[in-house]
Every structure is written in C-alpha cells, then in structure tokens.
Amino acid sequence: MTSPAQVLFVGAGPGDPELITVKGLKALQAADLVVYAGSLVNRALLAELKPGAAAHDSAPLTLEEVLALMAEAVAAGKRVVRLHTGDPSVYGAIQEQMEALDALGIGYRVIPGVTATFAAAATLRQELTLPGVSQTVVLTRIEGRTPVPEKEQLRKIAALGATVCLYLSVSMMDKVVAELLAGGIYTPATPVAVVSKASWPDERIVEGTLGDIADKVAAAGIGRQALILVGEVLAARSQGVPEKSKLYDKDFDHGFRIHS
C-alpha cells in the first residue's frame, strides 16, 4: 500500500513562472516548507508561498541536509514541496531523494513540469518530430564531470541521425561538435540551435550549423544554462516541411475521422 504523500516533488518549469502546472502551483501555494533548487528555479515563484511558509535554497546543501529539512518538517506535520527546475525526472537527482524517503517511511508524489527541451522548441517555434525527417527525440548530455555510460556516448547516439537535445553541455561545445560529427550521420551542414535560458526574459537564441555553432556560441558568451538542439528538423523553418503528417490528411482514416 502506498504511503500518503507527505512530500511533493514539483517541476517548476523551465523559467517563466507561468509555465509551472496548475497542480504544481496549488501545491506550492499550500506548502509549509519549500526546498527549491535556487541555482535554476525562478525565485518569482516564491512569491506564491503563503504567509509563514519557509523556503530553503538547496544549491549550497548536501543530500543529507536536504533530507533532514524535509524529514523534520514532515515530523512536525507540515506540508513539504521539493521544487525542482523543469521536470524533476530529467537530470533532477530525485531518485536518490525518493530512495531515502522510502527508507524513512515518508510518502511522496511527483508533479511533472515542463522541461527545457519543450520551452526551447516553443521559443524556436519548432516541431521536434517531422514525417520523413525524424520521428525520434533524444534527451542526453555529453560526458563531463558526470560520466555517461559507454553505450550512450554521444557519437553513438549521433549515429541515429535523430533530433538530439543536449542538456548540461554548452560549456563543451567543441567536444559536442566533434562527437556529433564522429557519429557519421550528421555533417558540418547539419542545423543546430542553442537556446540560452529558454522562457526567461533574457533568453537568447544562437543558430547555425555543426560547422560554425561552436564559434557562434563562444562569441555570444554563452557558457551555461542553455539547451543545444541538433537535427534536420531544424531546417524546416527555412526550407519548408518536406512531408505532411497523415494526421490531418483528408485521405487518411483513423478512429476519429472516417473518410467517405
């Protein structure tokens, strides 16, 4: 039997405070304690806390300190929100927190959020899956201080030729480009977009190809908090959609529309 939720892991969204979900906002407004990822979560969301609610920035804290804050609040009968940037399931380090809460007998639930990939796509006005171009989106990162399994090395993922969205990688653009080209499918002409701080007031877009994007990003001075999108789908805005979807094709039948 699942324990009642005493801790809510909430996705804050990519930056714009209006992109938190309705469910996430309600949880935030009802919380007695909010432990938020201050390095990335928009602090404007803290204005939604009720009077008397406590807020702690987890950026300078260890896992043990975060858990102690939450466990103490739960023991006092308080409602706890662990506020993560984007969606908690993507590079959110929530599994280790949930494992510890399990060991303590503390119940929890997860409220999803909008991850940076989708905010970046919205900024670019770009569909990530196009018929005849790519039907696969890969969310990944290049290896840095955090290792990546051998089977998921970027050059191996690049060999798919799919739409690739890279987190936590913009500070290593030269390495990113080299690994993507090493996959043997992408070329120096493959389109790339880098979106810095997607959905924030100071968001920026740098567009180019694998042949010139590293220099353009360096010239723009972007070194963190940016998403890299790679793939031929990005050419559609300048070159047109090569193949229309079957979904709205007048000659295509499906369960909600029968062609007569």
mmCIF file of all heavy atoms in Angstrom, residues 154-207:
data_model
loop_
_atom_site.group_PDB
_atom_site.id
_atom_site.type_symbol
_atom_site.label_atom_id
_atom_site.label_comp_id
_atom_site.label_asym_id
_atom_site.label_seq_id
_atom_site.Cartn_x
_atom_site.Cartn_y
_atom_site.Cartn_z
ATOM 1 N N LEU A 154 28.054 10.135 -26.901
ATOM 2 C CA LEU A 154 27.350 10.997 -27.849
ATOM 3 C C LEU A 154 27.550 10.577 -29.295
ATOM 4 O O LEU A 154 26.614 10.651 -30.105
ATOM 5 C CB LEU A 154 27.774 12.450 -27.641
ATOM 6 C CG LEU A 154 26.982 13.504 -28.413
ATOM 7 C CD1 LEU A 154 25.487 13.366 -28.161
ATOM 8 C CD2 LEU A 154 27.470 14.902 -28.042
ATOM 9 N N ARG A 155 28.714 10.101 -29.655
ATOM 10 C CA ARG A 155 28.932 9.686 -31.044
ATOM 11 C C ARG A 155 28.041 8.507 -31.419
ATOM 12 O O ARG A 155 27.638 8.376 -32.584
ATOM 13 C CB ARG A 155 30.399 9.358 -31.286
ATOM 14 C CG ARG A 155 30.956 8.176 -30.517
ATOM 15 C CD ARG A 155 32.412 7.949 -30.858
ATOM 16 N NE ARG A 155 33.236 9.137 -30.563
ATOM 17 C CZ ARG A 155 34.416 9.355 -31.120
ATOM 18 N NH1 ARG A 155 34.915 8.496 -31.997
ATOM 19 N NH2 ARG A 155 35.111 10.426 -30.798
ATOM 20 N N LYS A 156 27.724 7.661 -30.443
ATOM 21 C CA LYS A 156 26.834 6.523 -30.718
ATOM 22 C C LYS A 156 25.396 6.985 -30.871
ATOM 23 O O LYS A 156 24.647 6.478 -31.725
ATOM 24 C CB LYS A 156 26.965 5.486 -29.603
ATOM 25 C CG LYS A 156 28.342 4.839 -29.544
ATOM 26 C CD LYS A 156 28.423 3.754 -28.497
ATOM 27 C CE LYS A 156 29.808 3.096 -28.516
ATOM 28 N NZ LYS A 156 29.930 2.018 -27.494
ATOM 29 N N ILE A 157 24.994 7.934 -30.058
ATOM 30 C CA ILE A 157 23.653 8.495 -30.202
ATOM 31 C C ILE A 157 23.537 9.253 -31.516
ATOM 32 O O ILE A 157 22.519 9.193 -32.215
ATOM 33 C CB ILE A 157 23.338 9.402 -28.995
ATOM 34 C CG1 ILE A 157 23.113 8.543 -27.742
ATOM 35 C CG2 ILE A 157 22.123 10.283 -29.268
ATOM 36 C CD1 ILE A 157 22.954 9.312 -26.470
ATOM 37 N N ALA A 158 24.604 9.969 -31.882
ATOM 38 C CA ALA A 158 24.596 10.735 -33.132
ATOM 39 C C ALA A 158 24.419 9.839 -34.345
ATOM 40 O O ALA A 158 23.901 10.265 -35.382
ATOM 41 C CB ALA A 158 25.887 11.538 -33.257
ATOM 42 N N ALA A 159 24.830 8.590 -34.234
ATOM 43 C CA ALA A 159 24.711 7.649 -35.353
ATOM 44 C C ALA A 159 23.263 7.356 -35.715
ATOM 45 O O ALA A 159 22.983 6.830 -36.801
ATOM 46 C CB ALA A 159 25.441 6.348 -35.024
ATOM 47 N N LEU A 160 22.314 7.703 -34.840
ATOM 48 C CA LEU A 160 20.891 7.538 -35.147
ATOM 49 C C LEU A 160 20.428 8.566 -36.176
ATOM 50 O O LEU A 160 19.475 8.326 -36.911
ATOM 51 C CB LEU A 160 20.044 7.689 -33.874
ATOM 52 C CG LEU A 160 20.187 6.627 -32.798
ATOM 53 C CD1 LEU A 160 19.422 7.050 -31.541
ATOM 54 C CD2 LEU A 160 19.661 5.292 -33.307
ATOM 55 N N GLY A 161 21.039 9.742 -36.145
ATOM 56 C CA GLY A 161 20.586 10.813 -37.032
ATOM 57 C C GLY A 161 19.270 11.426 -36.599
ATOM 58 O O GLY A 161 18.592 12.101 -37.382
ATOM 59 N N ALA A 162 18.872 11.212 -35.350
ATOM 60 C CA ALA A 162 17.601 11.709 -34.833
ATOM 61 C C ALA A 162 17.730 13.161 -34.386
ATOM 62 O O ALA A 162 18.786 13.794 -34.517
ATOM 63 C CB ALA A 162 17.159 10.838 -33.656
ATOM 64 N N THR A 163 16.643 13.708 -33.862
ATOM 65 C CA THR A 163 16.686 15.024 -33.227
ATOM 66 C C THR A 163 17.289 14.844 -31.842
ATOM 67 O O THR A 163 16.784 14.057 -31.035
ATOM 68 C CB THR A 163 15.274 15.620 -33.099
ATOM 69 O OG1 THR A 163 14.654 15.653 -34.387
ATOM 70 C CG2 THR A 163 15.327 17.018 -32.512
ATOM 71 N N VAL A 164 18.373 15.555 -31.563
ATOM 72 C CA VAL A 164 19.069 15.410 -30.285
ATOM 73 C C VAL A 164 18.998 16.727 -29.519
ATOM 74 O O VAL A 164 19.248 17.801 -30.078
ATOM 75 C CB VAL A 164 20.541 14.998 -30.484
ATOM 76 C CG1 VAL A 164 21.297 15.004 -29.164
ATOM 77 C CG2 VAL A 164 20.607 13.613 -31.120
ATOM 78 N N CYS A 165 18.643 16.628 -28.241
ATOM 79 C CA CYS A 165 18.566 17.787 -27.361
ATOM 80 C C CYS A 165 19.534 17.555 -26.206
ATOM 81 O O CYS A 165 19.376 16.596 -25.449
ATOM 82 C CB CYS A 165 17.149 17.971 -26.839
ATOM 83 S SG CYS A 165 15.908 18.062 -28.154
ATOM 84 N N LEU A 166 20.517 18.422 -26.113
ATOM 85 C CA LEU A 166 21.590 18.237 -25.146
ATOM 86 C C LEU A 166 21.478 19.213 -23.981
ATOM 87 O O LEU A 166 21.454 20.434 -24.172
ATOM 88 C CB LEU A 166 22.944 18.437 -25.823
ATOM 89 C CG LEU A 166 23.374 17.320 -26.765
ATOM 90 C CD1 LEU A 166 23.932 17.877 -28.045
ATOM 91 C CD2 LEU A 166 24.390 16.432 -26.090
ATOM 92 N N TYR A 167 21.423 18.656 -22.790
ATOM 93 C CA TYR A 167 21.450 19.423 -21.558
ATOM 94 C C TYR A 167 22.894 19.495 -21.051
ATOM 95 O O TYR A 167 23.727 18.647 -21.387
ATOM 96 C CB TYR A 167 20.601 18.747 -20.487
ATOM 97 C CG TYR A 167 19.115 18.750 -20.719
ATOM 98 C CD1 TYR A 167 18.526 17.937 -21.685
ATOM 99 C CD2 TYR A 167 18.268 19.548 -19.949
ATOM 100 C CE1 TYR A 167 17.162 17.930 -21.889
ATOM 101 C CE2 TYR A 167 16.893 19.544 -20.143
ATOM 102 C CZ TYR A 167 16.345 18.737 -21.110
ATOM 103 O OH TYR A 167 14.986 18.723 -21.312
ATOM 104 N N LEU A 168 23.171 20.468 -20.213
ATOM 105 C CA LEU A 168 24.401 20.498 -19.405
ATOM 106 C C LEU A 168 25.664 20.319 -20.247
ATOM 107 O O LEU A 168 26.648 19.738 -19.799
ATOM 108 C CB LEU A 168 24.328 19.396 -18.337
ATOM 109 C CG LEU A 168 23.090 19.420 -17.437
ATOM 110 C CD1 LEU A 168 22.957 18.108 -16.670
ATOM 111 C CD2 LEU A 168 23.161 20.592 -16.475
ATOM 112 N N SER A 169 25.646 20.826 -21.454
ATOM 113 C CA SER A 169 26.746 20.547 -22.386
ATOM 114 C C SER A 169 27.297 21.778 -23.084
ATOM 115 O O SER A 169 28.306 21.682 -23.786
ATOM 116 C CB SER A 169 26.284 19.537 -23.450
ATOM 117 O OG SER A 169 25.824 18.340 -22.873
ATOM 118 N N VAL A 170 26.657 22.928 -22.929
ATOM 119 C CA VAL A 170 27.024 24.087 -23.735
ATOM 120 C C VAL A 170 28.427 24.617 -23.417
ATOM 121 O O VAL A 170 29.048 25.283 -24.253
ATOM 122 C CB VAL A 170 25.965 25.208 -23.585
ATOM 123 C CG1 VAL A 170 26.094 25.921 -22.235
ATOM 124 C CG2 VAL A 170 26.038 26.191 -24.754
ATOM 125 N N SER A 171 28.950 24.297 -22.248
ATOM 126 C CA SER A 171 30.304 24.738 -21.895
ATOM 127 C C SER A 171 31.387 23.917 -22.602
ATOM 128 O O SER A 171 32.574 24.252 -22.513
ATOM 129 C CB SER A 171 30.517 24.652 -20.378
ATOM 130 O OG SER A 171 30.462 23.306 -19.941
ATOM 131 N N MET A 172 30.963 22.865 -23.322
ATOM 132 C CA MET A 172 31.908 21.985 -24.018
ATOM 133 C C MET A 172 31.551 21.871 -25.495
ATOM 134 O O MET A 172 31.518 20.789 -26.067
ATOM 135 C CB MET A 172 31.915 20.598 -23.350
ATOM 136 C CG MET A 172 32.373 20.620 -21.902
ATOM 137 S SD MET A 172 32.231 18.995 -21.091
ATOM 138 C CE MET A 172 30.468 18.995 -20.676
ATOM 139 N N MET A 173 31.261 22.994 -26.136
ATOM 140 C CA MET A 173 30.752 22.983 -27.499
ATOM 141 C C MET A 173 31.690 22.318 -28.491
ATOM 142 O O MET A 173 31.250 21.586 -29.385
ATOM 143 C CB MET A 173 30.415 24.402 -27.967
ATOM 144 C CG MET A 173 29.126 24.960 -27.396
ATOM 145 S SD MET A 173 27.654 23.981 -27.780
ATOM 146 C CE MET A 173 27.648 23.976 -29.561
ATOM 147 N N ASP A 174 32.983 22.560 -28.370
ATOM 148 C CA ASP A 174 33.925 21.938 -29.316
ATOM 149 C C ASP A 174 33.856 20.415 -29.220
ATOM 150 O O ASP A 174 33.855 19.709 -30.243
ATOM 151 C CB ASP A 174 35.353 22.413 -29.042
ATOM 152 C CG ASP A 174 35.577 23.857 -29.473
ATOM 153 O OD1 ASP A 174 34.877 24.307 -30.402
ATOM 154 O OD2 ASP A 174 36.433 24.529 -28.873
ATOM 155 N N LYS A 175 33.787 19.903 -28.009
ATOM 156 C CA LYS A 175 33.693 18.462 -27.802
ATOM 157 C C LYS A 175 32.355 17.931 -28.298
ATOM 158 O O LYS A 175 32.285 16.858 -28.923
ATOM 159 C CB LYS A 175 33.870 18.136 -26.317
ATOM 160 C CG LYS A 175 33.863 16.658 -25.990
ATOM 161 C CD LYS A 175 34.102 16.426 -24.496
ATOM 162 C CE LYS A 175 34.059 14.943 -24.156
ATOM 163 N NZ LYS A 175 34.249 14.711 -22.684
ATOM 164 N N VAL A 176 31.286 18.678 -28.052
ATOM 165 C CA VAL A 176 29.958 18.283 -28.535
ATOM 166 C C VAL A 176 29.966 18.143 -30.054
ATOM 167 O O VAL A 176 29.515 17.129 -30.610
ATOM 168 C CB VAL A 176 28.886 19.315 -28.101
ATOM 169 C CG1 VAL A 176 27.582 19.098 -28.866
ATOM 170 C CG2 VAL A 176 28.625 19.219 -26.603
ATOM 171 N N VAL A 177 30.481 19.142 -30.740
ATOM 172 C CA VAL A 177 30.514 19.118 -32.209
ATOM 173 C C VAL A 177 31.345 17.947 -32.714
ATOM 174 O O VAL A 177 30.924 17.218 -33.631
ATOM 175 C CB VAL A 177 31.064 20.453 -32.749
ATOM 176 C CG1 VAL A 177 31.365 20.339 -34.241
ATOM 177 C CG2 VAL A 177 30.070 21.579 -32.498
ATOM 178 N N ALA A 178 32.502 17.734 -32.117
ATOM 179 C CA ALA A 178 33.377 16.643 -32.570
ATOM 180 C C ALA A 178 32.696 15.294 -32.407
ATOM 181 O O ALA A 178 32.771 14.430 -33.298
ATOM 182 C CB ALA A 178 34.690 16.677 -31.785
ATOM 183 N N GLU A 179 32.011 15.100 -31.290
ATOM 184 C CA GLU A 179 31.345 13.820 -31.035
ATOM 185 C C GLU A 179 30.149 13.620 -31.964
ATOM 186 O O GLU A 179 29.913 12.509 -32.458
ATOM 187 C CB GLU A 179 30.901 13.752 -29.573
ATOM 188 C CG GLU A 179 32.036 13.535 -28.589
ATOM 189 C CD GLU A 179 32.681 12.176 -28.759
ATOM 190 O OE1 GLU A 179 31.987 11.155 -28.615
ATOM 191 O OE2 GLU A 179 33.893 12.135 -29.076
ATOM 192 N N LEU A 180 29.401 14.677 -32.207
ATOM 193 C CA LEU A 180 28.251 14.560 -33.109
ATOM 194 C C LEU A 180 28.693 14.217 -34.526
ATOM 195 O O LEU A 180 28.088 13.379 -35.204
ATOM 196 C CB LEU A 180 27.446 15.860 -33.096
ATOM 197 C CG LEU A 180 26.658 16.154 -31.815
ATOM 198 C CD1 LEU A 180 26.093 17.570 -31.840
ATOM 199 C CD2 LEU A 180 25.533 15.143 -31.617
ATOM 200 N N LEU A 181 29.754 14.843 -34.976
ATOM 201 C CA LEU A 181 30.267 14.553 -36.324
ATOM 202 C C LEU A 181 30.861 13.152 -36.410
ATOM 203 O O LEU A 181 30.802 12.501 -37.458
ATOM 204 C CB LEU A 181 31.312 15.596 -36.725
ATOM 205 C CG LEU A 181 30.781 17.007 -36.972
ATOM 206 C CD1 LEU A 181 31.929 17.976 -37.208
ATOM 207 C CD2 LEU A 181 29.814 17.021 -38.163
ATOM 208 N N ALA A 182 31.413 12.669 -35.298
ATOM 209 C CA ALA A 182 32.028 11.340 -35.283
ATOM 210 C C ALA A 182 31.005 10.231 -35.451
ATOM 211 O O ALA A 182 31.368 9.093 -35.770
ATOM 212 C CB ALA A 182 32.806 11.139 -33.976
ATOM 213 N N GLY A 183 29.734 10.550 -35.277
ATOM 214 C CA GLY A 183 28.694 9.539 -35.460
ATOM 215 C C GLY A 183 28.509 9.122 -36.902
ATOM 216 O O GLY A 183 27.912 8.075 -37.180
ATOM 217 N N GLY A 184 28.982 9.944 -37.817
ATOM 218 C CA GLY A 184 28.962 9.568 -39.227
ATOM 219 C C GLY A 184 27.686 9.895 -39.978
ATOM 220 O O GLY A 184 27.600 9.638 -41.182
ATOM 221 N N ILE A 185 26.682 10.455 -39.312
ATOM 222 C CA ILE A 185 25.415 10.803 -39.970
ATOM 223 C C ILE A 185 25.288 12.309 -40.134
ATOM 224 O O ILE A 185 25.017 12.814 -41.225
ATOM 225 C CB ILE A 185 24.209 10.265 -39.176
ATOM 226 C CG1 ILE A 185 24.277 8.745 -39.046
ATOM 227 C CG2 ILE A 185 22.899 10.693 -39.841
ATOM 228 C CD1 ILE A 185 24.177 7.996 -40.350
ATOM 229 N N TYR A 186 25.486 13.040 -39.078
ATOM 230 C CA TYR A 186 25.475 14.487 -39.165
ATOM 231 C C TYR A 186 26.697 14.963 -39.948
ATOM 232 O O TYR A 186 27.750 14.310 -39.959
ATOM 233 C CB TYR A 186 25.506 15.126 -37.780
ATOM 234 C CG TYR A 186 24.366 14.760 -36.858
ATOM 235 C CD1 TYR A 186 24.607 14.363 -35.550
ATOM 236 C CD2 TYR A 186 23.044 14.833 -37.288
ATOM 237 C CE1 TYR A 186 23.577 14.043 -34.691
ATOM 238 C CE2 TYR A 186 22.003 14.509 -36.444
ATOM 239 C CZ TYR A 186 22.275 14.118 -35.142
ATOM 240 O OH TYR A 186 21.247 13.797 -34.302
ATOM 241 N N THR A 187 26.560 16.123 -40.572
ATOM 242 C CA THR A 187 27.661 16.732 -41.321
ATOM 243 C C THR A 187 27.877 18.155 -40.805
ATOM 244 O O THR A 187 27.070 18.663 -40.019
ATOM 245 C CB THR A 187 27.324 16.798 -42.817
ATOM 246 O OG1 THR A 187 26.335 17.839 -43.026
ATOM 247 C CG2 THR A 187 26.781 15.467 -43.327
ATOM 248 N N PRO A 188 28.941 18.814 -41.253
ATOM 249 C CA PRO A 188 29.128 20.213 -40.839
ATOM 250 C C PRO A 188 27.952 21.114 -41.225
ATOM 251 O O PRO A 188 27.790 22.196 -40.656
ATOM 252 C CB PRO A 188 30.408 20.625 -41.576
ATOM 253 C CG PRO A 188 31.170 19.341 -41.698
ATOM 254 C CD PRO A 188 30.123 18.298 -41.975
ATOM 255 N N ALA A 189 27.101 20.674 -42.152
ATOM 256 C CA ALA A 189 25.953 21.478 -42.579
ATOM 257 C C ALA A 189 24.695 21.202 -41.757
ATOM 258 O O ALA A 189 23.673 21.876 -41.934
ATOM 259 C CB ALA A 189 25.663 21.211 -44.055
ATOM 260 N N THR A 190 24.746 20.233 -40.852
ATOM 261 C CA THR A 190 23.571 19.903 -40.039
ATOM 262 C C THR A 190 23.185 21.099 -39.170
ATOM 263 O O THR A 190 24.029 21.675 -38.484
ATOM 264 C CB THR A 190 23.860 18.690 -39.139
ATOM 265 O OG1 THR A 190 24.158 17.559 -39.964
ATOM 266 C CG2 THR A 190 22.674 18.373 -38.249
ATOM 267 N N PRO A 191 21.910 21.494 -39.203
ATOM 268 C CA PRO A 191 21.496 22.675 -38.435
ATOM 269 C C PRO A 191 21.502 22.438 -36.921
ATOM 270 O O PRO A 191 21.234 21.329 -36.452
ATOM 271 C CB PRO A 191 20.080 22.954 -38.939
ATOM 272 C CG PRO A 191 19.616 21.700 -39.571
ATOM 273 C CD PRO A 191 20.824 20.970 -40.045
ATOM 274 N N VAL A 192 21.829 23.504 -36.202
ATOM 275 C CA VAL A 192 21.904 23.476 -34.740
ATOM 276 C C VAL A 192 21.310 24.773 -34.203
ATOM 277 O O VAL A 192 21.475 25.841 -34.806
ATOM 278 C CB VAL A 192 23.366 23.372 -34.243
ATOM 279 C CG1 VAL A 192 23.404 23.231 -32.722
ATOM 280 C CG2 VAL A 192 24.094 22.219 -34.902
ATOM 281 N N ALA A 193 20.632 24.666 -33.075
ATOM 282 C CA ALA A 193 20.172 25.868 -32.363
ATOM 283 C C ALA A 193 20.552 25.732 -30.904
ATOM 284 O O ALA A 193 20.403 24.663 -30.315
ATOM 285 C CB ALA A 193 18.666 26.045 -32.521
ATOM 286 N N VAL A 194 21.042 26.803 -30.335
ATOM 287 C CA VAL A 194 21.333 26.855 -28.904
ATOM 288 C C VAL A 194 20.414 27.911 -28.296
ATOM 289 O O VAL A 194 20.408 29.066 -28.734
ATOM 290 C CB VAL A 194 22.806 27.211 -28.641
ATOM 291 C CG1 VAL A 194 23.057 27.429 -27.146
ATOM 292 C CG2 VAL A 194 23.718 26.104 -29.179
ATOM 293 N N VAL A 195 19.631 27.489 -27.317
ATOM 294 C CA VAL A 195 18.710 28.408 -26.646
ATOM 295 C C VAL A 195 19.173 28.567 -25.207
ATOM 296 O O VAL A 195 19.170 27.619 -24.426
ATOM 297 C CB VAL A 195 17.256 27.909 -26.697
ATOM 298 C CG1 VAL A 195 16.329 28.924 -26.033
ATOM 299 C CG2 VAL A 195 16.826 27.661 -28.138
ATOM 300 N N SER A 196 19.567 29.777 -24.874
ATOM 301 C CA SER A 196 20.019 30.090 -23.527
ATOM 302 C C SER A 196 18.853 30.616 -22.705
ATOM 303 O O SER A 196 18.116 31.496 -23.155
ATOM 304 C CB SER A 196 21.125 31.151 -23.594
ATOM 305 O OG SER A 196 21.449 31.646 -22.313
ATOM 306 N N LYS A 197 18.665 30.035 -21.516
ATOM 307 C CA LYS A 197 17.619 30.466 -20.574
ATOM 308 C C LYS A 197 16.251 30.512 -21.253
ATOM 309 O O LYS A 197 15.546 31.528 -21.224
ATOM 310 C CB LYS A 197 17.981 31.793 -19.938
ATOM 311 C CG LYS A 197 19.298 31.764 -19.170
ATOM 312 C CD LYS A 197 19.524 33.000 -18.336
ATOM 313 C CE LYS A 197 18.645 33.015 -17.090
ATOM 314 N NZ LYS A 197 18.992 34.138 -16.191
ATOM 315 N N ALA A 198 15.860 29.409 -21.846
ATOM 316 C CA ALA A 198 14.578 29.327 -22.550
ATOM 317 C C ALA A 198 13.427 29.728 -21.631
ATOM 318 O O ALA A 198 13.319 29.237 -20.510
ATOM 319 C CB ALA A 198 14.357 27.907 -23.065
ATOM 320 N N SER A 199 12.617 30.642 -22.105
ATOM 321 C CA SER A 199 11.405 31.155 -21.462
ATOM 322 C C SER A 199 11.674 32.234 -20.410
ATOM 323 O O SER A 199 10.738 32.831 -19.886
ATOM 324 C CB SER A 199 10.541 30.036 -20.846
ATOM 325 O OG SER A 199 10.978 29.672 -19.535
ATOM 326 N N TRP A 200 12.948 32.502 -20.101
ATOM 327 C CA TRP A 200 13.277 33.604 -19.191
ATOM 328 C C TRP A 200 13.226 34.928 -19.965
ATOM 329 O O TRP A 200 13.353 34.938 -21.190
ATOM 330 C CB TRP A 200 14.674 33.422 -18.601
ATOM 331 C CG TRP A 200 14.813 32.288 -17.635
ATOM 332 C CD1 TRP A 200 14.821 30.957 -17.930
ATOM 333 C CD2 TRP A 200 14.977 32.382 -16.209
ATOM 334 N NE1 TRP A 200 14.986 30.210 -16.780
ATOM 335 C CE2 TRP A 200 15.091 31.063 -15.706
ATOM 336 C CE3 TRP A 200 15.067 33.455 -15.317
ATOM 337 C CZ2 TRP A 200 15.268 30.780 -14.359
ATOM 338 C CZ3 TRP A 200 15.239 33.180 -13.961
ATOM 339 C CH2 TRP A 200 15.336 31.856 -13.493
ATOM 340 N N PRO A 201 13.083 36.060 -19.292
ATOM 341 C CA PRO A 201 13.055 37.342 -20.015
ATOM 342 C C PRO A 201 14.323 37.604 -20.826
ATOM 343 O O PRO A 201 14.281 38.272 -21.857
ATOM 344 C CB PRO A 201 12.910 38.378 -18.887
ATOM 345 C CG PRO A 201 12.241 37.632 -17.774
ATOM 346 C CD PRO A 201 12.774 36.230 -17.856
ATOM 347 N N ASP A 202 15.457 37.078 -20.360
ATOM 348 C CA ASP A 202 16.719 37.308 -21.061
ATOM 349 C C ASP A 202 17.162 36.110 -21.901
ATOM 350 O O ASP A 202 18.352 35.925 -22.147
ATOM 351 C CB ASP A 202 17.824 37.681 -20.072
ATOM 352 C CG ASP A 202 18.020 36.639 -18.973
ATOM 353 O OD1 ASP A 202 17.123 35.788 -18.786
ATOM 354 O OD2 ASP A 202 19.057 36.687 -18.281
ATOM 355 N N GLU A 203 16.193 35.316 -22.376
ATOM 356 C CA GLU A 203 16.561 34.180 -23.215
ATOM 357 C C GLU A 203 17.247 34.673 -24.494
ATOM 358 O O GLU A 203 16.991 35.770 -24.984
ATOM 359 C CB GLU A 203 15.334 33.328 -23.564
ATOM 360 C CG GLU A 203 14.434 33.927 -24.618
ATOM 361 C CD GLU A 203 13.278 33.016 -25.013
ATOM 362 O OE1 GLU A 203 13.101 31.947 -24.439
ATOM 363 O OE2 GLU A 203 12.527 33.439 -25.921
ATOM 364 N N ARG A 204 18.132 33.826 -25.016
ATOM 365 C CA ARG A 204 18.838 34.152 -26.263
ATOM 366 C C ARG A 204 18.869 32.927 -27.156
ATOM 367 O O ARG A 204 18.883 31.787 -26.671
ATOM 368 C CB ARG A 204 20.261 34.615 -25.983
ATOM 369 C CG ARG A 204 20.352 35.991 -25.361
ATOM 370 C CD ARG A 204 21.787 36.489 -25.321
ATOM 371 N NE ARG A 204 22.582 35.740 -24.352
ATOM 372 C CZ ARG A 204 23.915 35.737 -24.340
ATOM 373 N NH1 ARG A 204 24.598 36.394 -25.259
ATOM 374 N NH2 ARG A 204 24.571 35.065 -23.420
ATOM 375 N N ILE A 205 18.908 33.167 -28.458
ATOM 376 C CA ILE A 205 18.974 32.099 -29.451
ATOM 377 C C ILE A 205 20.207 32.300 -30.316
ATOM 378 O O ILE A 205 20.449 33.402 -30.806
ATOM 379 C CB ILE A 205 17.724 32.094 -30.358
ATOM 380 C CG1 ILE A 205 16.443 31.936 -29.540
ATOM 381 C CG2 ILE A 205 17.828 30.986 -31.402
ATOM 382 C CD1 ILE A 205 15.188 32.179 -30.355
ATOM 383 N N VAL A 206 20.962 31.229 -30.483
ATOM 384 C CA VAL A 206 22.081 31.238 -31.429
ATOM 385 C C VAL A 206 21.841 30.082 -32.402
ATOM 386 O O VAL A 206 21.711 28.932 -31.973
ATOM 387 C CB VAL A 206 23.440 31.055 -30.718
ATOM 388 C CG1 VAL A 206 24.566 31.002 -31.743
ATOM 389 C CG2 VAL A 206 23.678 32.187 -29.724
ATOM 390 N N GLU A 207 21.769 30.399 -33.671
ATOM 391 C CA GLU A 207 21.519 29.366 -34.677
ATOM 392 C C GLU A 207 22.698 29.245 -35.630
ATOM 393 O O GLU A 207 23.399 30.221 -35.902
ATOM 394 C CB GLU A 207 20.244 29.680 -35.456
ATOM 395 C CG GLU A 207 18.998 29.650 -34.597
ATOM 396 C CD GLU A 207 17.738 29.946 -35.382
ATOM 397 O OE1 GLU A 207 17.423 31.141 -35.552
ATOM 398 O OE2 GLU A 207 17.084 28.988 -35.838
#
